[in-house]
Amino acid sequence: MICKIVIPTTGNAEMLERLLQPWAASSFCWDGIEIVVAQNGDGESCEKELAAYKKSLPIRYVHFAPPCKNHALNQVVEEDPDVLIIFYDDDVRVDVSAIEQYIQAGKKYGEGHYFGGPVEPEYSGRLDMMLWPFVPTCTKGLYLDRKDEAVLDHQFFLGHNWAAFAKDIIKCGGFDERLGPGKITHAPVGDECKIQEAMSAGGCKAVFLPSCKARHYVDTDQVTLEWSRFRAFNRGFIESLFQTKITSRFYTFLRSVAPSISLFLLKILCKAIRKQLTKTERYSLFHRISYTQGKLAGLKANRKFHNSPQRLECDIKLNANISK
């Protein structure tokens, strides 16, 4: 085997079929490639829907009980350390030519490199453009001012569309199971950023592949002011969480007081001048408040995060905790 395509999911069969149908209908040669759909959590299984594709695609379904995307990814990555792994989310559409480009780039550059391409959003409807300055990159899409393939010292690629050698991921400790989507993680974001930062720190170079484009489905009904404020909260939370472990209780207190005071003043300011601000200015203030709240919450959670193991100890213990 030369390549493994890993698609994490919680059981979104409709989106998975949207991705797999064009692949099954193509004349692409799948020799040496395996597609692994890795489901996590207790959602409805999508194994039955995937069975229809086994005649035309080298597909394998696996299920991991812990509701943690990164736990499922680690289990699949560690199956075979000598392969290139392409990561796609279950809500993207990708042409098979991008798979071939990833494989060729892997052969060309070898280990010590990780790869990624542009991500183009596919909106289900009209997006509220007042929210545009505040939504994250996963909603806006990823574009670089480059038309040609390029090796970069560091570049963050979206988790929807990137690739790396299993051995390089394992060398830097694997995916942090305290982060990413899942009912039991400390934060629902920051996982791909952390693993790519670790790979860069370990000497890996990023390779941008402009032809490896993925189209990411975005449900615009979910892109609301409340959602974008939640993402701003998460951004502040992750920034504080990723800081060096806070060991002094007094220092923790001081670091917590400043955001609390800032938040208090921002709320007072918001109430005082709300009627005098434009809608954009109000949105900006709302997001600043949410970001500050996230910074404060991250500071409070910092010590607990750094004291917890990066990997789940075992599925049995985890499931026992969940059931309590």
Side-chain angles (χ1 to χ4, degrees):
M1 187 189 306
I2 58 172
C3 176
K4 186 181 291 186
I5 300 171
V6 180
I7 307 169
T9 185
T10 54
N12 194 341
E14 183 180 350
M15 285 286 107
L16 278 168
E17 292 195 72
R18 178 175 173 268
L19 170 63
L20 296 174
Q21 281 176 356
W23 291 1
S26 74
S27 58
F28 184 71
C29 178
W30 295 97
D31 291 348
I33 303 172
E34 182 183 37
I35 303 168
V36 181
V37 176
Q39 184 169 349
N40 73 89
D42 56 4
E44 186 175 348
S45 173
C46 58
E47 185 175 14
K48 184 177 179 180
E49 288 80 2
L50 296 176
Y53 295 94
K54 288 192 173 181
K55 290 184 179 180
S56 52
L57 295 173
I59 196 165
R60 176 166 61 97
Y61 171 85
V62 292
H63 177 260
F64 302 98
C68 175
K69 171 187 172 182
N70 281 354
H71 175 75
L73 291 180
N74 280 330
Q75 300 306 305
V76 178
V77 166
E78 291 172 357
E79 289 177 345
D80 185 351
D82 297 318
V83 297
L84 175 71
I85 299 184
I86 304 173
F87 297 98
Y88 290 132
D89 278 357
D90 60 4
D91 55 359
V92 300
R93 289 194 305 120
V94 180
D95 190 85
V96 290
S97 62
I99 299 172
E100 179 61 28
Q101 290 296 317
Y102 271 127
I103 293 172
Q104 293 304 319
K107 292 178 178 178
K108 177 180 178 180
Y109 293 99
E111 295 173 8
H113 297 84
Y114 63 97
F115 313 88
V119 175
E120 179 182 292
E122 289 188 330
Y123 299 119
S124 63
R126 293 188 62 182
L127 188 69
D128 181 358
M129 296 310 294
M130 294 294 292
L131 293 172
W132 184 259
F134 312 109
V135 296
T137 307
C138 64
T139 302
K140 294 179 178 180
L142 176 68
Y143 306 95
L144 297 184
D145 293 330
R146 296 177 179 275
K147 295 182 179 180
D148 300 321
E149 184 177 303
V151 179
L152 310 169
D153 287 333
H154 174 67
Q155 170 63 43
F156 170 64
F157 298 120
L158 289 175
H160 315 314
N161 179 30
W162 74 293
F165 287 94
K167 190 172 292 183
D168 289 328
I169 295 174
I170 295 170
K171 278 181 182 177
C172 63
F175 290 91
D176 193 327
E177 297 178 14
R178 298 170 296 181
L179 302 171
K183 296 177 182 178
I184 57 166
T185 59
H186 292 252
V189 296
D191 44 329
E192 285 96 0
C193 178
K194 192 168 187 292
I195 188 70
Q196 292 179 26
E197 287 281 2
M199 292 176 70
S200 292
C204 291
K205 299 288 187 180
V207 181
F208 177 63
L209 304 172
S211 58
C212 293
K213 182 169 70 174
R215 296 174 176 85
H216 175 228
Y217 177 79
V218 177
D219 185 353
T220 51
D221 288 339
Q222 295 184 10
V223 184
T224 62
L225 174 61
E226 291 73 22
W227 178 83
S228 61
R229 288 186 66 179
F230 174 67
R231 294 301 299 239
F233 176 94
N234 281 334
R235 181 165 56 86
F237 184 80
I238 282 293
E239 287 180 10
S240 291
L241 209 62
F242 283 2
Q243 289 179 3
T244 305
K245 179 181 175 181
I246 299 174
T247 55
S248 166
R249 292 186 181 276
F250 180 68
Y251 178 65
T252 303
F253 172 75
L254 290 178
R255 293 293 297 268
S256 300
V257 166
S260 298
I261 294 174
S262 299
L263 178 60
F264 177 70
L265 294 175
L266 280 171
K267 285 185 174 179
I268 293 178
L269 181 64
C270 181
K271 290 180 180 179
I273 63 175
R274 187 171 181 176
K275 294 182 180 179
Q276 301 176 26
L277 296 177
T278 65
K279 189 175 181 180
T280 301
E281 289 171 333
R282 287 201 304 273
Y283 276 20
S284 180
L285 187 56
F286 292 157
H287 285 84
R288 186 63 191 176
I289 290 173
S290 296
Y291 170 76
T292 305
Q293 288 175 317
K295 290 283 285 186
L296 172 60
L299 286 171
K300 291 179 177 178
N302 176 281
R303 185 180 301 179
K304 182 179 178 181
F305 175 77
H306 286 283
N307 284 340
S308 62
Q310 183 173 325
R311 301 287 293 271
L312 302 177
E313 293 181 11
C314 67
D315 293 3
I316 296 175
K317 181 177 179 180
L318 178 62
N319 290 333
N321 291 337
I322 292 171
S323 63
K324 290 181 180 179

